[in-house]
Amino acid sequence: MSAGSQDVAPSLPTCLALASVSLMCFVAGFGTGAEFVRFLSFGTIFKNFSGGLEGDLPPLSWREAVGDTQVYRALGIDAALLILFVLQHSVMAWPSVKGAVTQVFGVLNRSLYILCTAISLQALMYYWQQCHRGPYLWSASSDQWNLWLPLICALLHTVSWLLIFSVLLIFDYAELMGIKQVYYHCFGMGDPLSHKAPRVARLYAHLRHPIYLELLVIMWAVPALSPDRLLLSSFLTLYLSLVHRLDVQDYTYLSSQLEKKFLLFSREEENGRGELWKKE
C-alpha cells in the first residue's frame, strides 16, 4: 500500500464542499469543451464562409488586406486572446506554480486549472474577431466543391472528435477533470497518480496532449481558410508541437497496452462464442 493511501479522510462537510466546487468546475469545463467543438468545427464548416462575402461586398484580395486597418485590428485582438490562453494553460502547469496553487487550494488544484482553462477559452471564443471578407488562403468557391468539400471536412471533423473523446475516456476522464482527486481525498486514498505504475505515471507526465494528430486535422481541414482561422491553426499547431513530448519509451508502452487490449477483447469474444455454443 502506498503512503498516499494512508491519508486521513476529511470530515463530511469538508467533503461535500470539495465535491460541490469540483463538480462546478467540471460542469464549466465540460460545457466550455462542447462550446469549443462548435467554435472549431460547426461554426466553420456548416456556416461555410466560402467566397468570403459579407453582405454585398466582394472578398478582399491579399494586396487590399495589407492596407486594411480592420484586418490588422481583428488579427491583433485574436493574437492577444491566443497568447492569453497559452499563458494560462502553460504557466499553471509549471511545477512551481502548480505547487503554490496546491498549497493554497489543496486537492482542488486540478479543478481550479480546469476552471481557469474554461474561462480563458470562453474569453477566446466570445471576443474572437472573424475576417469574413478574407482574403482566403483557399476557398471552396465552385458549385461542385462548395457541396463536397464541406461534407468531407464534416466527416473528418466528426471522426477526429470521436477519436479525441475515446482517448480522453481511456486516459481517465474523471482524473483529467479533477473529480477523481477529490474522490480519493475524501476517502483517504491520497493522490490517484500515486496508485499508478511508474511507467503509467511517466506516460501521464509526457502526455500533455494525447490528441495531437486529431486536433491538427480539425484545425486545418476547413472549406475556407480565412486570416483569423489561419492565425488560430498556425498558433495552436506551434503550441501543440512544442508541448508534445512523447518519446520511444512512451510509444513502446502505449503499443504494449494496445496489444493487451486487443488480446483481452479477442479472449472475451472467444469465451462468448463458447458459452453460446454450450447453450445451443
Side-chain angles (χ1 to χ4, degrees):
M1 183 178 293
S2 63
S5 61
Q6 299 176 353
D7 293 350
V8 178
S11 62
L12 180 60
T14 302
C15 289
L16 290 176
L18 291 174
S20 300
V21 174
S22 180
L23 183 61
M24 179 194 69
C25 297
F26 169 79
V27 172
F30 184 85
T32 301
E35 182 69 11
F36 194 57
V37 172
R38 182 205 63 79
F39 176 76
L40 282 182
S41 295
F42 297 104
T44 301
I45 294 175
F46 295 117
K47 290 183 180 180
N48 188 17
F49 296 117
S50 59
L53 297 179
E54 182 179 351
D56 296 328
L57 297 176
L60 291 173
S61 65
W62 287 100
R63 179 176 297 181
E64 293 172 334
V66 170
D68 195 326
T69 57
Q70 292 185 353
V71 174
Y72 286 114
R73 178 179 177 275
L75 294 180
I77 294 175
D78 294 342
L81 292 171
L82 287 168
I83 293 173
L84 175 64
F85 166 73
V86 168
L87 286 176
Q88 176 275 318
H89 209 61
S90 299
V91 171
M92 290 190 69
W94 290 352
S96 57
V97 176
K98 185 185 295 185
V101 174
T102 302
Q103 288 182 354
V104 178
F105 296 95
V107 73
L108 293 175
N109 169 51
R110 183 64 188 181
S111 296
L112 181 65
Y113 180 82
I114 295 298
L115 179 62
C116 292
T117 300
I119 293 174
S120 63
L121 274 179
Q122 288 288 352
L124 173 70
M125 294 182 291
Y126 184 81
Y127 293 105
W128 187 261
Q129 304 293 309
Q130 294 182 338
C131 300
H132 296 302
R133 291 190 60 201
Y136 288 85
L137 194 61
W138 67 73
S139 176
S141 55
S142 64
D143 293 337
Q144 181 181 2
W145 283 110
N146 197 27
L147 171 64
W148 288 106
L149 187 57
L151 289 177
I152 295 173
C153 293
L155 178 61
L156 291 174
H157 281 228
T158 301
V159 172
S160 297
W161 284 119
L162 289 176
L163 290 174
I164 287 173
F165 296 148
S166 300
V167 170
L168 293 180
L169 290 176
I170 291 173
F171 285 95
D172 206 335
Y173 187 70
E175 184 175 349
L176 178 67
M177 299 297 288
I179 299 292
K180 195 171 184 178
Q181 287 85 335
V182 173
Y183 175 84
Y184 271 50
H185 177 71
C186 289
F187 282 91
M189 299 169 63
D191 188 357
L193 194 60
S194 64
H195 295 265
K196 300 184 184 299
R199 294 179 70 186
V200 179
R202 184 181 187 279
L203 176 65
Y204 272 57
H206 288 181
L207 208 61
R208 291 283 304 279
H209 292 277
I211 47 183
Y212 177 74
L213 180 61
E214 291 83 355
L215 280 175
L216 291 184
V217 172
I218 290 170
M219 286 184 294
W220 292 101
V222 290
L225 192 68
S226 59
D228 62 286
R229 182 70 180 205
L230 176 61
L231 175 65
L232 175 69
S233 300
S234 302
F235 198 99
L236 292 183
T237 298
L238 177 61
Y239 175 65
L240 289 173
S241 301
L242 292 175
V243 300
H244 191 69
R245 298 184 298 163
L246 290 183
D247 56 20
V248 176
Q249 294 185 41
D250 295 322
Y251 282 116
T252 302
Y253 176 75
L254 282 174
S255 178
S256 64
Q257 292 300 307
L258 185 61
E259 291 178 1
K260 290 180 181 179
K261 295 288 185 182
F262 281 127
L263 182 61
L264 178 62
F265 289 147
S266 62
R267 287 178 178 177
E268 291 180 352
E269 185 178 356
E270 290 177 358
N271 292 336
R273 289 178 180 177
E275 293 177 359
L276 180 62
W277 179 80
K278 291 180 181 179
K279 291 180 181 180
E280 293 177 350

